[in-house]
Amino acid sequence: PVSGVHVFAYLDSRMVGKPVHMSAPTDAEGHFLLFLSDAGTYYVGARSAFGVPLEPGEWVGTFDGEPDHKVSVARGAHNDLGTIIVKEFW
């Protein structure tokens, strides 16, 4: 588990720019909650930093439950994304 990683939701599959939603940092066990305001399809990624270019030593990953990293959610649903694997970027 990696603590201090944020999980991001984007509307665009390229996952660039400002995400539409962001979690609080993961806890000591790597757990996170990501609240989405609307139903729809989101593309999910994770980083230990945000608002800056990717830097060596940063943790980064994507939701891999679907090949394109997407999650479809219904209004009021609670989805368990399972584990998002993050790797240290060098």
Side-chain angles (χ1 to χ4, degrees):
V2 178
S3 63
V5 173
H6 296 269
V7 177
F8 301 94
Y10 296 88
L11 295 175
D12 186 328
S13 64
R14 295 174 296 154
M15 292 191 277
V16 296
K18 186 176 178 181
V20 293
H21 299 285
M22 179 175 80
S23 74
T26 54
D27 65 17
E29 283 89 40
H31 298 129
F32 66 91
L33 288 174
L34 180 63
F35 295 100
L36 306 172
S37 60
D38 293 313
T41 299
Y42 296 91
Y43 300 88
V44 178
R47 287 184 63 184
S48 56
F50 60 94
V52 296
L54 190 60
E55 299 262 339
E58 182 180 344
W59 292 94
V60 63
T62 54
F63 170 69
D64 292 328
E66 293 288 334
D68 57 0
H69 316 295
K70 74 179 175 189
V71 174
S72 296
V73 289
R75 181 175 293 277
H78 293 90
N79 295 40
D80 182 351
L81 299 182
T83 300
I84 295 179
I85 305 293
V86 292
K87 296 180 181 178
E88 198 168 6
F89 174 76
W90 290 108

